[in-house]
Amino acid sequence: ASEVQLPAPGAAPGVVGQLGAARSDARAVTIGRTAYVVGGYDGPSMDGDVLATTDGRSWRVVASLPVPVRYATLAVVGRSVYVLGGQASSGAPVSTVQRVDPASHRAVVVGSMGVALAASVAARLNGTVYLAGGLVPTPGGTAPTAAVYAFTPGHPLRRVATLPVAVANAGGAVLGGRLYVVGGENASGTPVADVQTVSVTRRPAPRRAAG
């Protein structure tokens, strides 16, 4: 579908605009007062257009991904949107890191995560972007992972923790300094009701020797 719906408290969502073309499996982030929709699938093919809006009613194309993907993970660093992995047209997760610069209307490949990953949850905790869960390639296709990774632009992912339950396509929210990984799908593709948390504890800086 191409409709843009706006939920209202105590009422059913209403259609407020159109994307211009049908799209599924996309991801979205905001920078300031602008929302960006990245990647996705329009039915016959992958959609690489990056769309922007400030009101949900009018949309404009600000860039085009060099590697069109769906189920990507998005991270905002500064004024750029990093597109981490996702599924290629073959259905296989990829390790590509793409950077979208809305100001210059450019999207470029800037490196590799070192891990092929799609459909994970991302959040910023204590200034660092973390990715939790998602789909990784297997000999038979794909499977959910329990890995939690830290992302730093210009570097491969670093595995920093393990979820109790491996999931993909989960919801995510940050509350009270923790990332909540809500639901998702397990290895059999069945939705789960688990709510998992990821927290980060800063280690105290080592004391300098006296003298």
Side-chain angles (χ1 to χ4, degrees), residues 74-87:
L74 306 184
V76 174
V77 180
R79 305 297 295 181
S80 296
V81 179
Y82 283 81
V83 184
L84 308 175
Q87 281 187 351

Side-chain angles (χ1 to χ4, degrees), residues 116-210:
L117 183 67
S120 64
V121 175
R124 184 183 293 274
L125 298 173
N126 289 346
T128 299
V129 174
Y130 294 90
L131 285 68
L135 290 172
V136 294
T138 65
T142 60
T145 179
V148 178
Y149 295 101
F151 167 70
T152 302
H155 299 275
L157 297 183
R158 292 182 294 110
R159 185 164 182 168
V160 294
T162 302
L163 295 173
V165 180
V167 291
N169 291 306
V174 174
L175 182 65
R178 292 184 176 184
L179 167 61
Y180 286 80
V181 181
V182 183
E185 297 175 342
N186 61 19
S188 64
T190 303
V192 300
D194 302 292
V195 178
Q196 308 179 71
T197 63
V198 177
S199 59
V200 178
T201 302
R202 286 189 178 275
R203 295 180 179 179
R207 296 182 178 180
R208 293 183 178 180

Side-chain angles (χ1 to χ4, degrees), residues 54-97:
T54 56
D55 59 11
R57 294 171 172 81
S58 59
W59 295 80
R60 64 188 189 279
V61 178
V62 296
S64 183
L65 297 178
V67 182
V69 288
R70 56 178 173 172
Y71 302 120
T73 304
L74 306 184
V76 174
V77 180
R79 305 297 295 181
S80 296
V81 179
Y82 283 81
V83 184
L84 308 175
Q87 281 187 351
S89 57
S90 65
V94 297
S95 62
T96 312
V97 177

